[in-house]
Every structure is written in structure tokens, then in C-alpha cells.
Amino acid sequence: MQNFITDYTKKRYILYGIISIIALSLPFIRINGNHFFLLSFVHAKLNLFFVSFSTQEFYLMPFVLILLFLFIFFITTLGGRIWCAWSCPQTIFRVIYRDLIQTKILKIRKNINNKQKEYSGQYLKKTIAVILFYFISLIAISNLLWYFVPPEEYFEYIKNPNEHFLLMGILFFGSLLFTLDVTYLAEKFCIYVCPYARIQSVMFDRDTMQVIYNEKRGGVIFDGKFKLHKKPPQGECIGCEACVSVCPTHIDIRAGMQLECINCLECADACSKIQNKFNRPSLINWTSVKSIETDQKIKYFRFRTVGYLIVITIVLIALFVMGSKKEHMLLNINRSSELYQISRVGDNIEVSNAYTFLFQNTDIKDHEYYFEAKIEGIDNGIEIIRPSKPFKISAGEQSKKIVIIKAIKKLANDNHKDVIFPLSIKAYAKDDNKIVIFRKTIFIYPKVSIFKEVK
Ligand code: SF4
Ligand code: SF4
């Protein structure tokens, strides 16, 4: 006799374990000092795929978000609400609270296969369940925070809670809100709050995988909203309602696809156990509308899914190309508000321009930096007065330098207006010849009449 029993629930639990291990361990993994993902507002930096980017490179973030949305569209078109029951933290923590803490550990709920029955009384056990979950929430919210405050700093901060009120507030109130959500709102969150549940159906097509009751085999149970039979006589459904009892969102899938269905497939598992006794497969399956209608296999590769795959590949390549062009130093140049400074030294009149250079070492190592300045088309026309020697900037740090550049010969002889020269700056790390960047600014030389005014 063939075994038709499915075990999607066990597979979900295994996936939950893998996801939890990855989510918990990823913030602790560093390559060259960088995290897989870290968005630090305190240090104004982004770590992506173990590469560090500064705020000036945040232009990569929209690409990451576009990629994320495209991936969600693709997965939803292909597998329906697969995210909801198989990866969403809301569902994972509902399983931990309802099935593990309430049912297995504290025995408040008597049967994991009946999620419709509410058990009154047992206030002490119910309070213990909420308190236990609050401690789990603290870990969950900490885990989320580690993607914004790296663990190596997070554990230092929580040793001094008085100095980190904001972090402590987010941790404790965030955990409280999350506990309220999982213990009180429960699946109502999926039905009434989650925006994804509302919009996902527009991404479906007739080939999208969904949890579907096979009316052709089981018989028609509902006419629109109304239940026709308690125990339908015309099909293979025996009306045991095991699929209804087990449903965490309290629906009857035999009424057709519903917004509340999170695709957990617990109803499919329940029905498979019943139908197996009759040597038949489950009446509820993870399949597509078209596949049920035509009795053919699900079409995974179709215009929409292939289209999403192509666009995702293009955005991914763009992200890697832009990420690989990352500069290991950054330089912003601002001129001072004065056009120039003129001073008499002996018989000579000296002209200088002042600038503020903001250097940033975006590399993972400390470096010693300096720069060269040149007026285009004029050799040996200027010299750098300040800073007079190279300077060190630690990895990831910024340094602001006041820069004075002086003309060392007469650059122009215009009686009517100041002359503007294009000035090229080549900044570099003295200890790594691969780190070099070029910037353009201007050098302003005064008109002749200005010199006559200088005493
Ligand atoms: S109908 Fe089935 S798949 Fe949908 S939420 Fe209920 S048990 Fe899960
Ligand atoms: S578990 Fe299967 S047989 Fe029982 S009511 Fe549901 S669909 Fe019918």
C-alpha cells in the first residue's frame, strides 16, 4: 500500500531552525572586520556582503531595496504566500509560543492538531507562557538590533544601560510590543495588519502555487460563502474537518483561496493522514489553479517568472559592478569663503587660496595620506603650504584638513577681472599605490588693481 502522508509541517520546522541559526549567527561573522549586513547610523556606514561603504556610498541602498522587492514579487508569483508560513518571523514565533510553549511545555493547549479550541482558566500557566515569551522576544529584538548596532559594540553598550537609554528603550519596549503581537494579536496580525497579505493576490496568476482543495475529487462543500453539506455525499471528502481544526488562521480551505491562508499546509498534512487510510492522496495540495483544472504539472518557467529572474539578475550585476568600484578613500573639497589671501613678504606679493579638504579612509587598514596640486597647463605655478607633511587616518575614520595653496610665480596679468584657474588635486595613500583619487577645484588669482592696493 502506497504511503500518501505528507509532512510539510516537519519540513517547515527544519527550515525555521536553519533560518534562526543563520539570523542569529550572521551578525557575529566578520570578514576583514566587515559584516554581511550592517547599517550603522552612529558610524554612518553600511556593510554589505562583507564590504564596508560610507554614507557617501549609500546610493547602493536603493539597489538593495529594489532587489529585495523584486525577489518578493518573484517568490510570490512562483510560490504564492510561501514567505508567510515558511520564513516570516511572525509565524515562526507563533509556532514557538503556541505549539512549543503553550502546548508542549506548559500543556495549556491539549492538542496541537486543534487550534480552534480556546482553553479557559489556567491563568498562572498563561502568565508564565507570556513571561517566557518576553525573554525570547528580548533575544529576537537584540538579534534585529545587531544588524544596526554590531554585537561587539552592543554587548559593551548594555553593560552601561544609563549611557544608552535609546538602545535600552528600543530593546525593552520593542520586546514588549513583539510579545503583545505574538501572544495577543496572533494571526490577526497576518489578516488585518500585514500589508503583504493585502497586496500579494495581485501578484498571483493561474500558475502560482497555492494551497488548494481539490473540488473535482473531494466534492463541492461551499456554494459561495455558504456551506452546503456537513458531510458531502458526492466526493472523497469525508467531512472529518481535520483540515479545519488544524488551521492556525481559523479558516476552512474547502471554501477556496482566502486572504487569511498563510500557506502553512498543515491542512494538507491533516487531510493526507485521513485520505491515506483510504489509500488516496490528500485532497488539499500545494498546487496551482491551472494544474488542478488541466491535471497537468505546475508550469514554473513562464513569462512572468522568467521576466523577474532576468530583471533580478540585471540588478544583481549592477549592484556588484557598482560595489566593486568602491573607492578606498573619499575626498570632499570646499573652498573658503574668501576668494584669495594677499600678503606682502619683503618685496614680493604672495597670493594664496584656502580650502577645506575632508578625507575619509574607507579602507579596512590605517593609511598615511598626502596630495598633489597642479594648475592645468602651468608647471610649477603653485605649492602646498599647509598641511606641510603627510598625515595618518585610521581605518574608517574621517579627517578635516585646512589646505593653503600658494602661487609661487605670477600666474596672470589681467587689469579688469580676477582669473580663475582649474586646479587638479591628486590625493593618495603613501603606503598603498592602488589608493589614489582625483578631484577638480579652482584657484583664483587677483586682478592687477588688487595688487596695487596691497601695502
Ligand atoms: S488553510 Fe491550510 S494552509 Fe491555509 S492557513 Fe489554514 S492550515 Fe494553513
Ligand atoms: S481533512 Fe480532508 S477529508 Fe477531512 S474534511 Fe478536510 S478535506 Fe475533507
Side-chain angles (χ1 to χ4, degrees):
M1 196 167 119
Q2 200 180 338
N3 183 3
F4 290 103
I5 295 176
T6 58
D7 208 349
Y8 290 114
T9 309
K10 193 171 161 194
K11 288 176 188 151
R12 271 174 48 224
Y13 291 171
I14 293 170
L15 187 63
Y16 291 173
I18 295 170
I19 290 171
S20 304
I21 290 167
I22 292 173
L24 278 163
S25 55
L26 211 49
F28 291 89
I29 301 170
R30 285 194 285 170
I31 297 178
N32 293 330
N34 299 318
H35 297 262
F36 176 78
F37 178 85
L38 172 71
L39 182 56
S40 169
F41 296 106
V42 175
H43 300 295
K45 72 172 179 186
L46 167 72
N47 283 183
L48 202 58
F49 306 124
F50 302 108
V51 178
S52 179
F53 298 91
S54 73
T55 38
Q56 295 175 25
E57 296 164 303
F58 270 20
Y59 60 85
L60 290 173
M61 269 315 276
F63 283 88
V64 177
L65 290 176
I66 290 170
L67 200 61
L68 187 71
F69 279 109
L70 281 171
F71 190 68
I72 291 171
F73 293 163
F74 168 67
I75 285 292
T76 310
T77 306
L78 190 69
R81 286 179 71 179
I82 186 174
W83 159 261
C84 296
W86 292 72
S87 308
C88 177
Q90 174 78 13
T91 312
I92 297 177
F93 284 101
R94 275 296 296 158
V95 168
I96 291 173
Y97 179 68
R98 182 195 54 226
D99 298 348
L100 181 67
I101 298 178
Q102 283 196 318
T103 313
K104 292 278 179 205
I105 298 176
L106 295 171
K107 315 257 185 255
I108 299 169
R109 297 179 159 276
K110 305 296 173 232
N111 189 349
I112 212 163
N113 295 323
N114 188 348
K115 300 190 181 68
Q116 315 317 314
K117 191 164 178 204
E118 287 304 325
Y119 296 88
S120 56
Q122 310 182 73
Y123 297 115
L124 180 63
K125 280 189 177 181
K126 284 179 179 170
T127 311
I128 293 170
V130 174
I131 293 170
L132 266 180
F133 189 80
Y134 183 70
F135 285 106
I136 293 173
S137 295
L138 286 173
I139 299 170
I141 299 295
S142 297
N143 192 180
L144 178 67
L145 285 170
W146 294 337
Y147 290 95
F148 300 91
V149 181
E152 59 272 18
E153 290 174 16
Y154 179 88
F155 290 110
E156 287 302 314
Y157 292 167
I158 58 172
K159 282 183 198 161
N160 300 304
N162 293 342
E163 291 172 22
H164 300 98
F165 272 125
L166 181 64
L167 186 72
M168 292 297 113
I170 294 172
L171 175 61
F172 289 111
F173 285 105
S175 302
L176 194 64
L177 280 179
F178 190 50
T179 303
L180 279 175
D181 164 37
V182 172
T183 61
Y184 177 71
L185 262 186
E187 277 75 28
K188 288 192 275 300
F189 179 90
C190 312
I191 300 164
Y192 302 112
V193 184
C194 178
Y196 177 54
R198 316 241 131 227
I199 58 160
Q200 36 87 27
S201 56
V202 297
M203 295 170 227
F204 284 14
D205 58 30
R206 287 164 56 72
D207 287 297
T208 299
M209 287 174 78
Q210 300 169 48
V211 180
I212 301 175
Y213 165 73
N214 190 338
E215 272 187 356
K216 275 160 77 179
R217 277 182 51 213
V220 179
I221 311 293
F222 284 84
D223 178 13
K225 282 189 171 175
F226 302 103
K227 210 171 205 172
L228 293 175
H229 314 280
K230 180 76 181 162
K231 194 169 180 179
Q234 79 275 39
E236 292 176 6
C237 174
I238 62 165
C240 65
E241 304 215 332
C243 54
V244 183
S245 300
V246 81
C247 178
T249 60
H250 319 293
I251 60 170
D252 188 337
I253 194 65
R254 296 173 302 170
M257 199 201 101
Q258 291 149 75
L259 174 78
E260 292 88 342
C261 178
I262 57 169
N263 280 26
C264 68
L265 288 150
E266 291 197 28
C267 53
D269 284 347
C271 188
S272 75
K273 289 188 189 110
I274 303 295
Q275 292 295 323
N276 189 54
K277 293 176 188 159
F278 303 97
N279 201 22
R280 312 189 282 242
S282 176
L283 294 172
I284 302 164
N285 289 291
W286 200 18
T287 183
S288 72
V289 174
K290 202 163 162 192
S291 175
I292 289 259
E293 281 172 6
T294 59
D295 287 325
Q296 285 178 350
K297 285 190 175 167
I298 300 168
K299 201 172 165 194
Y300 297 109
F301 294 100
R302 48 194 194 269
F303 180 74
R304 275 171 96 171
T305 51
V306 172
Y308 278 130
L309 273 179
I310 292 170
V311 179
I312 285 171
T313 310
I314 292 169
V315 176
L316 204 57
I317 291 170
L319 188 64
F320 274 103
V321 168
M322 292 171 83
S324 65
K325 285 188 179 158
K326 176 189 153 48
E327 291 178 322
H328 292 284
M329 71 175 288
L330 297 172
L331 173 58
N332 268 350
I333 297 177
N334 287 311
R335 283 183 52 84
S336 77
S337 52
E338 276 183 291
L339 291 178
Y340 36 71
Q341 296 86 41
I342 305 175
S343 53
R344 180 175 287 281
V345 181
D347 291 338
N348 296 325
I349 292 176
E350 290 185 346
V351 175
S352 60
N353 282 201
Y355 310 81
T356 304
F357 281 20
L358 179 64
F359 288 88
Q360 185 167 4
N361 178 357
T362 53
D363 201 16
I364 52 168
K365 288 189 279 186
D366 300 351
H367 287 294
E368 202 178 31
Y369 294 97
Y370 203 53
F371 59 94
E372 294 166 8
K374 185 176 184 303
I375 289 182
E376 287 169 19
I378 301 177
D379 290 335
N380 303 320
I382 51 168
E383 70 177 3
I384 300 163
I385 303 299
R386 181 179 166 187
S388 55
K389 55 181 188 307
F391 45 88
K392 193 176 148 190
I393 306 176
S394 303
E397 296 299 314
Q398 291 185 342
S399 180
K400 200 185 266 187
K401 298 282 173 200
I402 301 299
V403 172
I404 310 287
I405 295 176
K406 187 178 83 174
I408 51 174
K409 65 182 181 187
K410 193 171 190 178
L411 298 178
N413 197 14
D414 195 308
N415 287 321
H416 306 292
K417 58 180 187 338
D418 295 340
V419 183
I420 298 172
F421 292 97
L423 182 69
S424 301
I425 304 293
K426 178 189 173 188
Y428 52 88
K430 284 188 73 82
D431 47 6
D432 187 339
N433 58 15
K434 288 194 287 303
I435 301 177
V436 55
I437 54 172
F438 297 89
R439 293 287 182 267
K440 295 251 187 248
T441 181
I442 54 170
F443 186 92
I444 303 179
Y445 197 81
K447 57 189 172 190
V448 172
S449 59
I450 300 282
F451 286 103
K452 290 178 184 156
E453 292 166 14
V454 178
K455 295 274 183 317

